[in-house]
Amino acid sequence: MTLSLNQWTTRRWSVAEAVDGCVRHGLEAVGLWREKVAEQGLAESVKLVREAGLRVSSLCRGGFLTAGGLPGEEGRRAFAQALEDNRRAIDEAAELSAACLVMVVGGLPGVKPGEALPASGFSRDVAGARGRVAEALAELAPYAGERGVKLALEPLHPIYCPDRAVLSTLGQALDLSLDHPEEQVGVVVDTFHVWWDPRVFEDIARAGRRIASYQVCDYLHPLPQDILLGRGMMGDGVIDFRPITQAVLDAGYAGDVEVEIFNADIWAADPDEVVATMKARYEDVVLPVR
Amino acid sequence: MTLSLNQWTTRRWSVAEAVDGCVRHGLEAVGLWREKVAEQGLAESVKLVREAGLRVSSLCRGGFLTAGGLPGEEGRRAFAQALEDNRRAIDEAAELSAACLVMVVGGLPGVKPGEALPASGFSRDVAGARGRVAEALAELAPYAGERGVKLALEPLHPIYCPDRAVLSTLGQALDLSLDHPEEQVGVVVDTFHVWWDPRVFEDIARAGRRIASYQVCDYLHPLPQDILLGRGMMGDGVIDFRPITQAVLDAGYAGDVEVEIFNADIWAADPDEVVATMKARYEDVVLPVR
């Protein structure tokens, strides 16, 4: 297991700056975001990570597949658009030789991330939305497989079920992945999202080689008003990391460990200090005691 | 299934006022809170509900059993205190002939509900905390059984895992209940807490006669800053109630349906208007279409 910087942790950094930062701090891998790759340019991003000798531990993110749950033409168009956008994300992941494309599958149809419920035109049918995700995956998995890309289904904490991901538990994501070959569809274990789950150790063991990505950050308490930013540096919240890390190791995961933190204070801090703290905390609280 | 007013929905009302309100609005049952019963006096509260001919659909609440997870003497003392307080709650539920005593089991040891994490002296051992709940239940269930009281384990939305309940899913609560006779320990199905759970329909069916209470309120999106107050009037949030109600009916539940809403706007409104709205919404969005 090797530490990787997910570039959203040092959000101010461009791809070029994040690559430089990883090299400067002796990291071997980086997790990239599509927005940042687009700003840098895809070809330039590929060149930068290759020349630096970095692995791309993940590309974030595909998904948002549930809009197809809206009725009629609007739903059909949204579904087709989501599929098309995800094919582009898969292409980018292939170019970057990313270990996986992280999939945040989307919330209730018609509910926009971080926005209030619309007065009408949204759906409360969470089971239906989950069905749309399965349908979309059946379209996308073979496309990903042909390009050597693994889709990594990320269950999000249930607090994000309305607007970001109707995949709410590791077990649910794992069950969904099993319809597809292991090299096409896996799951993400992100400590923030799964720490509370009474079945998490059982499901990590069951996931085995389906674990496509292990992401760590802490769960702050109380959460800030913008719940998206409730992720903290490891050690600053309530998560007991070592047993989870040990379980992921025992399941056979040998990939990179990404630190992905959405947090206003961390985004405001000096990125080099953030990376230094991240490295220290990784040793102190994430890795199992040898 | 008959509608019941959980008195926290009309929080300004004393037990006497809530009993009057239920009678005035033609309700047959009321869910009471220990704080309110203490203010009214236990004997007086018993007299009020009996004379009004109301059922007490639940007494809220026992629990907060996890402090025993702190080390040493502090933990032992906290555990003994929690047991003693819960025996008093059981006694009160028996006096009131409450259909159940709702159990909110408590969060991580040393983390106080709604407060920031202490600098030290709390535990991140969520599995250990769950173990303390099982231990406490082994002590309390026979005591409850001797007094004809059913303990109703309430799984809370995972967002409350740090500070209020390490029971996070219906399946987990149900598994815990199975160590005890059905008349001593059951589970609460509260739509706010379980709507997102991909296993909820399976677990409601599995729970069957273990369902001791069915509580309804909506899940608001986005949640307010104080997440405890993110509960809304049915129809104001993201929950599709009818399939859940149908599943609870199909599982054999024939008790009262309590509306329990924690919401600053609803607490500020005229309680009679709140009860009128509650009755209308219950018909409109909670009961399955006949």
Side-chain angles (χ1 to χ4, degrees):
Chain A
M1 269 192 178
T2 311
L3 183 60
S4 171
L5 172 68
N6 182 293
Q7 77 170 131
W8 218 249
T9 301
T10 51
R11 188 176 172 180
R12 277 188 275 164
W13 277 351
S14 65
V15 170
E17 289 168 325
V19 166
D20 279 354
C22 286
V23 171
R24 194 159 59 246
H25 289 275
L27 300 177
E28 298 173 19
V30 65
L32 297 178
W33 277 66
R34 291 184 73 200
E35 294 87 322
K36 297 282 190 185
V37 168
E39 283 167 23
Q40 191 79 54
L42 178 59
E44 175 71 9
S45 298
V46 169
K47 188 162 170 281
L48 286 166
V49 293
R50 290 217 178 127
E51 287 181 359
L54 293 178
R55 293 184 297 276
V56 177
S57 48
S58 78
L59 179 65
C60 299
R61 55 197 184 182
F64 292 97
L65 302 164
T66 53
L70 293 174
E73 183 55 35
E74 189 183 353
R76 280 190 294 276
R77 199 170 49 234
F79 193 63
Q81 279 175 354
L83 290 181
E84 190 49 31
D85 184 55
N86 276 276
R87 289 189 196 101
R88 292 298 75 75
I90 291 166
D91 295 343
E92 292 161 25
E95 286 292 315
L96 289 160
S97 304
C100 62
L101 174 66
V102 172
M103 301 289 281
V104 172
V105 301
L108 294 172
V111 180
K112 294 207 171 65
E115 294 185 15
L117 290 183
S120 64
F122 77 98
S123 165
R124 292 181 174 88
D125 180 8
V126 62
R130 286 163 174 162
R132 291 300 87 66
V133 174
E135 277 176 45
L137 213 55
E139 296 280 332
L140 295 172
Y143 186 92
E146 286 163 16
R147 284 150 190 83
V149 170
K150 184 182 286 190
L151 305 176
L153 299 174
E154 182 161 18
L156 260 54
H157 191 287
I159 197 175
Y160 301 118
C161 189
D163 62 340
R164 295 182 191 273
V166 292
L167 281 189
S168 304
T169 67
L170 181 59
Q172 180 194 15
L174 178 57
D175 288 344
L176 192 56
S177 77
L178 299 178
D179 292 338
H180 305 279
E182 187 176 285
E183 57 283 8
Q184 289 176 13
V185 183
V187 296
V188 180
V189 176
D190 181 318
T191 53
F192 179 91
H193 297 304
V194 305
W195 71 274
W196 59 271
D197 185 346
R199 303 173 69 103
V200 68
F201 292 105
E202 177 185 336
D203 283 329
I204 287 172
R206 189 163 68 92
R209 288 173 47 82
R210 289 272 174 181
I211 301 175
S213 174
Y214 178 43
Q215 295 187 334
V216 297
C217 76
D218 217 327
Y219 183 97
L220 299 180
H221 177 80
L223 293 174
Q225 179 156 26
D226 181 350
I227 55 171
L228 190 63
L229 308 186
R231 302 169 71 109
M233 187 58 77
M234 299 82 77
D236 288 351
V238 300
I239 298 178
D240 187 13
F241 289 92
R242 290 196 188 107
I244 303 177
T245 304
Q246 187 64 58
V248 169
L249 277 169
D250 291 346
Y253 181 74
D256 297 305
V257 183
E258 265 186 29
V259 174
E260 186 193 48
I261 306 178
F262 294 27
N263 180 301
D265 294 335
I266 287 176
W267 289 342
D270 173 6
D272 275 292
E273 283 180 21
V274 169
V275 175
T277 304
M278 172 186 102
K279 286 177 67 175
R281 295 289 183 88
Y282 177 70
E283 295 286 336
D284 287 349
V285 304
V286 176
L287 285 180
V289 180
R290 275 163 256 229
Chain B
M1 269 190 178
T2 311
L3 183 61
S4 171
L5 173 69
N6 182 293
Q7 77 169 133
W8 218 250
T9 302
T10 52
R11 188 176 172 180
R12 278 187 273 163
W13 275 352
S14 66
V15 170
E17 290 168 324
V19 166
D20 279 352
C22 286
V23 171
R24 195 160 56 246
H25 289 275
L27 300 177
E28 298 173 18
V30 66
L32 297 177
W33 276 66
R34 292 184 72 198
E35 294 87 322
K36 298 281 191 185
V37 169
E39 283 166 24
Q40 190 79 55
L42 178 59
E44 175 71 8
S45 297
V46 170
K47 186 162 171 283
L48 286 167
V49 293
R50 291 219 176 125
E51 287 181 358
L54 292 178
R55 294 184 296 277
V56 178
S57 49
S58 77
L59 179 65
C60 299
R61 58 197 183 183
F64 293 96
L65 302 164
T66 53
L70 293 174
E73 183 54 37
E74 188 183 356
R76 280 190 293 276
R77 200 171 47 234
F79 192 64
Q81 279 175 355
L83 290 180
E84 189 49 32
D85 184 55
N86 276 277
R87 289 189 197 101
R88 294 296 75 75
I90 291 166
D91 294 342
E92 293 161 26
E95 286 292 316
L96 289 160
S97 304
C100 62
L101 173 65
V102 172
M103 301 289 282
V104 171
V105 301
L108 295 173
V111 180
K112 295 207 169 66
E115 294 186 17
L117 290 182
S120 64
F122 77 98
S123 165
R124 292 181 174 87
D125 181 7
V126 63
R130 287 164 174 162
R132 292 299 88 64
V133 174
E135 277 177 46
L137 212 55
E139 296 280 332
L140 295 172
Y143 186 92
E146 286 164 18
R147 284 149 189 85
V149 171
K150 185 183 285 191
L151 305 176
L153 300 174
E154 181 162 19
L156 260 54
H157 190 287
I159 197 174
Y160 301 119
C161 189
D163 63 340
R164 295 182 191 273
V166 292
L167 281 189
S168 304
T169 66
L170 181 59
Q172 180 194 14
L174 178 58
D175 288 343
L176 192 56
S177 77
L178 298 179
D179 291 339
H180 305 280
E182 187 177 285
E183 57 282 8
Q184 290 177 14
V185 183
V187 295
V188 181
V189 176
D190 181 318
T191 53
F192 179 91
H193 296 305
V194 305
W195 71 274
W196 58 271
D197 186 347
R199 301 173 70 104
V200 69
F201 291 104
E202 176 185 336
D203 283 329
I204 287 173
R206 189 162 69 93
R209 289 173 46 82
R210 289 272 174 181
I211 300 174
S213 174
Y214 178 43
Q215 296 186 332
V216 296
C217 77
D218 218 328
Y219 183 97
L220 299 181
H221 176 81
L223 292 174
Q225 179 156 25
D226 182 350
I227 56 170
L228 190 64
L229 308 185
R231 302 168 72 109
M233 185 61 74
M234 299 81 77
D236 288 351
V238 300
I239 298 178
D240 188 12
F241 288 92
R242 291 197 189 106
I244 303 177
T245 305
Q246 186 64 57
V248 169
L249 277 169
D250 291 346
Y253 182 73
D256 297 305
V257 183
E258 266 187 29
V259 174
E260 186 192 48
I261 306 179
F262 294 28
N263 180 302
D265 293 335
I266 287 176
W267 289 343
D270 173 5
D272 275 291
E273 283 180 22
V274 169
V275 175
T277 305
M278 172 185 101
K279 286 178 65 177
R281 295 290 183 88
Y282 178 69
E283 296 286 336
D284 288 348
V285 304
V286 176
L287 285 180
V289 179
R290 273 163 256 222

